[in-house]
Amino acid sequence: MDNNHLITTENLTKRFPMGQTELTALNNINLTIRKGEFIGLVGPSGSGKTTLLNILGTLDSPTEGSAVVLGNNTAELSHKNSAKLRNLQIGFIFQTFNLLPVYTVYENVEFPLLLQKLGKSQRHDMVVDALKWVGLADRAKSKPAQLSGGQCQRVAIARAIVKKPALVLADEPTANLDAKNSHHILKTMETLNKELGTTFIFATHDEKVIGYLKRQITLDDGQIANDQVLKG
Amino acid sequence: MIRFLLKGLVRDRHRSLFPILVVSIGVMLTVFAHSWFSGMINDIIDSNAKFDTGHIKIMSRSYAENKDQTPNDLALTGINDLLQQLRDDIPEMAWTPRIKFGGLIDIPDEAGETRSQSPAMGVALDFYGPGGEVERLNIQNALVTGRLPRNPGEILISDELAQRLETKVGDTATLIGSTMYGAMAVHNFTISGTLKFGMKAMDRGAMLVDIHDIRLALDMDDAAGEIVGYMHPIYKDNTIQSIKAEFNSLHTENDDEFAPVMLSLRDQNGLNDYLVYAESISGMLIFVFVGIMSLVLWNTGLIGGIRRYGEIGVRLAIGENKGGVYRSMVLESAAIGFAGSLIGSILGLALAYWIQVKGINLGDMMGNSSLLISNIVRTRITEQTYYIGFIPGLLSTVLGSMLAGIGIYKRQTAQLFKELEV
């Protein structure tokens, strides 16, 4: 495998049981994603974007074929090892932010580092850095309920990137944001992609996101309909 | 990590304060209900013990064999020494002598001729001795007319008997009976008051006399048909049985038919069967109560787990493994169950202890009742009361959380992730 390859899928197929029959969510997906890419999985609802994102994030495994993520075949990973991989190498950003409401901004961002059992001062430095990247260092002590939607999503980004993962998976990250906040968020992620070399994969059908993508993979009915590089 | 989780637990009232409140209230009610039922059984025991059996009773061996006939010719003698010995050896109990007797009550007219007459049964009590008989039998509140005997030769008779004999307070009543030695006994008393006993047999024709007067009348100097003993503040069967066994072991070698023999409350009037029945009913009630409380607390644990599914999903996505999430849920519920059960047990025990010591006076509620029962209702704390609420409180909270968390293990991560609406 090319050292530059972050993700490789071969004939990746995912079927879900639907009563007596099966629904094919992904059908023979062959894909190679390199480090530092800024990719969008685009397509209508039910096209398989989230299913592919779940498999790439080791939350699910293929029915047939293989998905090798960061050198690990997802089908062979135990629950414990896939959790470890997510903890160390993969960050998630969700449509609805999913911040823990009883914790402060600082504590939300600190949480992934606690799972890594890092020391307090190291955690502090990393959290402060992450909050600076997203421009929320001054809101460290705020609770999510005291923030706007855009700020919440920036906290979610900080939480995803605080551990400096190789890969960030974002499922419709701008769906709940207005245009201004969407652009702000996308710019933040674009900067992080450039400065930290983090690979971003979005599942989206938001036109605003598409404008920022370097590569667009269009899914239709569980298959890759188009895979094109948009920016060099 | 533990500190982080603890912080969340303390800040989120839905996860900490409210479940702890529910568990505390449930456990407190369970503890209190148990002590209340125990107190009720104790009250039944007390009612029987007060009027007849005592918590423990000493009679002569022959008297015990024929006690239904109240054979005073077989009464215990040397009572003063025996009482003193009992009070010295077993000071935790109140000991008091009683004489049951029967005879004819004769009400004379102004000329001293019989105006009316009736057979009657009587109980002689040590009204003003250290045994506390007046308070025990609630005699003051059972008075219909008149007052308690103050002077020698004064008696109380049932109100029904007084009406039948057409007599009143202040009249003379002559007891015609037989002495301890079989001779005829005739003794004049003055009626100081009338009573309503609340028990048909006694209301038909009974009297209460001071034991010193009846000893004089029946020639029973230093004698009594029975000595009854009472535990304070509550009846403890195990203690009573060991006192009985120890006392009787001292007299097993004695063939004398007048040798003292001790009978416990359970040995008399079929009370053993009754107590077993009452304890079974109480056990069933407590079981149902604890069962219901467990379901409520289980449900609290379940709801607590389910409402955190969103948080669990995020934690899984961030990289916490299923086992870690599950363990932290169980640990949190154990902490909540422990805190709630501890607080509930302490509150329940404190309330039960307070009512056990102080009692609740229901005298006003029994204004028209003249039953010879205590106006004071008491709870009773037993060894079981200490853990009857704690264990189900802790277990049901933890089990509820464990059950809610099983979904984490049963489902594929992605499926769970979807269900968690992340």
Side-chain angles (χ1 to χ4, degrees):
Chain A
M1 188 180 77
D2 188 336
N3 280 340
N4 212 30
H5 288 183
L6 204 70
I7 294 168
T8 310
T9 69
E10 282 182 16
N11 302 321
L12 173 63
T13 300
K14 181 69 184 179
R15 294 190 196 95
F16 293 110
M18 290 277 286
Q20 300 293 318
T21 59
E22 282 188 327
L23 171 78
T24 303
L26 295 172
N27 192 6
N28 280 317
I29 301 288
N30 291 293
L31 201 60
T32 300
I33 296 172
R34 281 174 287 278
K35 284 179 186 172
E37 287 203 89
F38 204 73
I39 300 174
L41 301 175
V42 183
S45 290
S47 60
K49 303 187 297 288
T50 302
T51 303
L52 181 57
L53 218 56
N54 282 344
I55 291 173
L56 300 182
T58 73
L59 292 169
D60 208 349
S61 53
T63 311
E64 282 172 24
S66 67
V68 177
V69 179
L70 296 153
N72 299 279
N73 189 331
T74 56
E76 293 167 2
L77 278 175
S78 65
H79 285 302
K80 205 170 180 179
N81 285 334
S82 61
K84 195 174 174 185
L85 181 66
R86 286 197 297 275
N87 183 19
L88 295 173
Q89 304 275 24
I90 304 172
F92 281 90
I93 299 168
F94 310 100
Q95 179 181 336
T96 50
F97 327 134
N98 287 310
L99 300 176
L100 304 175
V102 295
Y103 294 103
T104 62
V105 165
Y106 182 95
E107 288 161 346
N108 266 283
V109 179
E110 186 189 26
F111 184 58
L113 307 178
L114 284 167
L115 293 174
Q116 293 183 16
K117 298 185 170 71
L118 298 179
K120 193 178 176 182
S121 64
Q122 193 182 357
R123 289 201 309 267
H124 176 78
D125 294 345
M126 290 170 81
V127 172
V128 170
D129 282 349
L131 289 176
K132 277 180 185 165
W133 290 329
V134 297
L136 283 174
D138 57 332
R139 304 304 302 267
K141 289 181 180 172
S142 302
K143 294 271 179 66
Q146 298 167 310
L147 304 177
S148 67
Q151 286 172 321
C152 282
Q153 194 60 298
R154 278 150 66 193
V155 176
I157 294 168
R159 183 177 63 185
I161 53 128
V162 69
K163 57 195 176 188
K164 296 183 181 163
L167 174 65
V168 171
L169 302 170
D171 194 359
E172 306 279 6
T174 56
N176 282 349
L177 302 177
D178 57 27
K180 190 181 165 192
N181 271 312
S182 295
H183 285 297
H184 194 163
I185 293 295
L186 288 163
K187 277 203 168 87
T188 305
M189 290 196 272
E190 194 178 43
T191 308
L192 290 167
N193 171 251
K194 279 176 188 163
E195 290 184 4
L196 300 176
T198 308
T199 304
F200 280 81
I201 303 177
F202 302 89
T204 187
H205 52 255
D206 184 349
E207 290 297 326
K208 296 188 289 294
V209 177
I210 295 167
Y212 285 84
L213 299 176
K214 289 180 184 172
R215 179 180 168 190
Q216 180 179 323
I217 299 167
T218 307
L219 292 174
D220 188 18
D221 207 15
Q223 290 180 307
I224 294 176
N226 190 22
D227 184 352
Q228 62 177 131
V229 175
L230 303 175
K231 294 178 186 174
Chain B
M1 187 67 184
I2 289 172
R3 206 173 149 205
F4 182 84
L5 292 172
L6 209 63
K7 218 185 275 181
L9 192 64
V10 171
R11 285 181 194 165
D12 188 352
R13 287 182 173 187
H14 291 284
R15 272 162 67 190
S16 52
L17 182 65
F18 298 138
I20 285 175
L21 272 177
V22 172
V23 175
S24 299
I25 291 167
V27 170
M28 187 184 80
L29 287 175
T30 306
V31 169
F32 183 73
H34 181 264
S35 67
W36 185 263
F37 287 130
S38 298
M40 276 173 63
I41 291 177
N42 198 54
D43 206 43
I44 291 165
I45 291 169
D46 263 5
S47 297
N48 278 279
K50 278 173 186 170
F51 296 112
D52 186 15
T53 63
H55 289 156
I56 210 158
K57 186 189 277 186
I58 302 169
M59 297 164 277
S60 75
R61 192 170 289 158
S62 300
Y63 185 101
E65 285 168 9
N66 301 285
K67 70 183 171 70
D68 292 342
Q69 299 166 33
T70 55
N72 281 329
D73 53 325
L74 301 173
L76 286 167
T77 53
I79 283 294
N80 290 337
D81 288 346
L82 184 54
L83 267 174
Q84 194 54 52
Q85 189 189 336
L86 287 166
R87 284 170 183 155
D88 289 345
D89 293 349
I90 314 167
E92 66 270 25
M93 293 189 69
W95 300 97
T96 187
R98 282 184 188 170
I99 296 171
K100 289 177 184 166
F101 60 94
L104 212 57
I105 286 282
D106 184 280
I107 307 296
D109 59 17
E110 286 164 358
E113 300 294 328
T114 298
R115 192 178 76 206
S116 57
Q117 206 175 58
S118 172
M121 54 176 281
V123 182
L125 313 167
D126 191 1
F127 267 85
Y128 300 107
E133 292 278 65
V134 172
E135 293 78 19
R136 180 176 298 117
L137 298 179
N138 199 22
I139 295 169
Q140 181 72 55
N141 292 334
L143 278 172
V144 178
T145 59
R147 55 165 174 76
L148 292 175
R150 274 187 216 142
N151 306 307
E154 290 186 334
I155 61 168
L156 298 169
I157 66 171
S158 76
D159 198 56
E160 194 178 320
L161 178 64
Q163 286 176 26
R164 201 165 63 243
L165 292 173
E166 295 176 342
T167 187
K168 60 184 185 307
V169 172
D171 285 355
T172 297
T174 305
L175 170 68
I176 303 166
S178 68
T179 69
M180 186 178 171
Y181 303 104
M184 190 173 177
V186 179
H187 199 91
N188 284 340
F189 292 97
T190 304
I191 299 168
S192 73
T194 62
L195 290 170
K196 196 163 185 182
F197 292 94
M199 289 180 287
K200 194 65 188 168
M202 292 187 80
D203 279 330
R204 247 195 317 265
M207 55 188 148
L208 295 182
V209 191
D210 188 80
I211 198 164
H212 301 95
D213 289 335
I214 214 69
R215 276 180 177 151
L216 202 64
L218 303 184
D219 203 7
M220 292 181 72
D221 186 36
D222 200 18
E226 14 186 273
I227 294 173
V228 283
Y230 294 93
M231 292 195 81
H232 283 290
I234 51 167
Y235 173 82
K236 286 181 185 166
D237 197 54
N238 290 345
T239 313
I240 288 292
Q241 295 304 333
S242 67
I243 290 172
K244 183 186 88 171
E246 195 176 337
F247 182 88
N248 287 338
S249 70
L250 299 173
H251 303 281
T252 45
E253 301 296 317
N254 193 342
D255 291 335
D256 188 349
E257 63 175 338
F258 289 96
V261 64
M262 198 178 258
L263 295 183
S264 73
L265 178 142
R266 279 183 183 273
D267 301 328
Q268 304 171 62
N269 301 357
L271 275 177
N272 187 48
D273 294 341
Y274 183 76
L275 281 178
V276 169
Y277 174 76
E279 280 164 6
S280 305
I281 294 290
S282 162
M284 276 190 271
L285 287 172
I286 288 292
F287 181 79
V288 169
F289 197 80
V290 168
I292 291 168
M293 282 320 303
S294 296
L295 282 177
V296 171
L297 299 181
W298 187 340
N299 196 37
T300 304
L302 264 173
I303 291 168
I306 288 167
R307 68 174 289 279
R308 294 178 61 200
Y309 262 25
E311 176 201 332
I312 291 164
V314 174
R315 285 165 62 179
L316 288 172
I318 287 173
E320 193 169 3
N321 67 52
K322 288 178 177 181
V325 173
Y326 189 71
R327 274 193 298 277
S328 73
M329 278 178 73
V330 173
L331 270 174
E332 278 185 25
S333 65
I336 285 164
F338 182 82
S341 299
L342 191 67
I343 293 167
S345 292
I346 290 169
L347 291 177
L349 282 167
L351 184 62
Y353 180 74
W354 184 67
I355 295 175
Q356 180 177 294
V357 173
K358 296 279 182 190
I360 299 175
N361 192 342
L362 299 181
D364 292 341
M365 292 171 69
M366 298 194 292
N368 295 323
S369 168
S370 51
L371 292 174
L372 285 173
I373 57 171
S374 173
N375 287 340
I376 311 294
V377 177
R378 289 179 198 279
T379 52
R380 185 189 178 204
I381 296 172
T382 66
E383 290 85 353
Q384 217 183 356
T385 320
Y386 288 94
Y387 58 82
I388 192 82
F390 189 89
I391 293 174
L394 178 61
L395 285 185
S396 50
T397 314
V398 173
L399 283 173
S401 187
M402 286 171 85
L403 193 74
I406 282 174
I408 294 170
Y409 273 112
K410 290 278 183 191
R411 289 166 178 75
Q412 287 290 316
T413 307
Q415 180 64 19
L416 184 64
F417 205 63
K418 201 174 166 187
E419 285 174 16
L420 301 177
E421 296 173 355
V422 173

